[in-house]
Amino acid sequence: MTPRRAGMAALAAAAIVLLALTLRIAVASLSPLLTTIQRDFDVPAAIVGLIGMAPPVAFALAGTVTPAIERRIGLERLVLVAAVVAAAMLGLRAAAIDAFSLLAATAGVFGAVGIANVLLPAVVKKYFPTRIGVMTTVYSTTMAVATFTPPLVAVPLADAVGWRGSFLVWAVVAVAAVVPWIAMSLRARASRADIVEAPRASVLSRIVRVPQTWALVATFAVNSSVAYGLFAWLPPLLIDVAGVEPAEAGSLLALFSFMGLPVSLVVPLLVGRMRSTAPFYVVAVGAGLAGVAGLLFAPTLATTLWVVLIGLPPLMFPMVLVLFGLRTRSHDTAVALSGLVQSVGYGIAALMPLAIGVTHELTGGWTAGLLLLGAAVILVIPAGFIVSRGETIEQSWERRTGATW
């Protein structure tokens, strides 16, 4: 590798890692501070629910609009725009004066994050074509670390410099991510390899007729419902039902988030090696229901254990990502399946944070919200039976129609 190419690879790696930090910091840095923010202005439960809806709604919309935008302005330029908007919105979140300005800034952050989520795999493919697996592991691990770090330090930071200062720290990280993308954008040369592909209509029309597609949608939706419902509500829930202090609630949210790190490293390898999904569904459902039951009936007895257990259902996220490849025969089918599953799954998941918030507002407690989480986990069981058959999408379509794909 020439010094010039080595320098470009180093710049691209730094740009990817810093952007990955920003993507998850935006998700995990708000909910630990809600109690502190409410000392300055009221944040109704419905608004918190809408804030919790913002990530999955943004991710669902981004899956549909990003390819078309990227074709017009180019890969690096669109990532740069997303990074700039994310940094600006994180800064505006620190300047929020009421619940609605907090919601607006948060929605802007997640709109940018959703676009960047779609583009990162294309960036890796362009700059590291022979090291896609390594770089995907690097940025997914970075995202996992960035998910559990803010809840650990957000409250201590807020105690030291105020909640606005705490938000500004994360905005500075986002600004740092902008810098390498400016250089990347200036040095970029557009090529066909950059283009984020949109699924062909003919493939989409076939995969929607396959039960396994909708089983994967259900799996992804349940995974995301649990994850984003608890990202939004776990700290205040634990403060109320388990009697923990805000700092400890933030640490427990960090623990919940941390569970994504080992599963993101281990689950893809195990699914690929075992070629069976049944054990993962069993663990996800069993652990999730045990965690919900613990928080319902004995929240103070073993709070940490309940948080660990309820942090295991999101293992379905890396499992589904691997299945996009294992359950398809062609690239076109994998692209169509990924786009459909993520768009619909995130769209469904967006309802969970709002539903928990509304039930809390109506009942004044958390029992109904926890029951909703438990019901979501139970609903994934039929999907597990369908996915465990091991057929590819193409095989399932051929068996049902009697035609050749």
Side-chain angles (χ1 to χ4, degrees), residues 356-369:
I356 295 175
V358 169
T359 56
H360 177 61
E361 190 84 4
L362 292 175
T363 66
W366 298 101
T367 298

Side-chain angles (χ1 to χ4, degrees), residues 211-227:
Q212 189 173 166
T213 297
W214 298 107
L216 289 172
V217 167
T219 302
F220 197 88
V222 169
N223 161 83
S224 301
S225 295
V226 173

Side-chain angles (χ1 to χ4, degrees), residues 5 123-133:
R5 291 186 63 185
V123 173
V124 170
K125 182 178 179 180
K126 178 178 180 179
Y127 289 95
F128 301 95
T130 61
R131 299 180 180 178
I132 291 175

Side-chain angles (χ1 to χ4, degrees), residues 226 230 234 237-238 241 283-299 302-313 370 373-374 377:
V226 173
L230 291 175
L234 187 61
L237 184 154
L238 292 175
V241 305
V283 170
V285 172
L289 292 178
V292 168
L295 290 174
L296 277 171
F297 301 113
T303 309
T304 301
L305 175 60
W306 310 142
V307 171
V308 168
L309 290 173
I310 209 168
L312 286 176
L370 287 168
L373 288 170
V377 172

Side-chain angles (χ1 to χ4, degrees), residues 88-103:
M89 292 297 112
L90 283 169
L92 286 176
R93 192 159 71 176
I97 58 173
D98 56 26
F100 293 101
S101 56
L102 183 67
L103 172 61

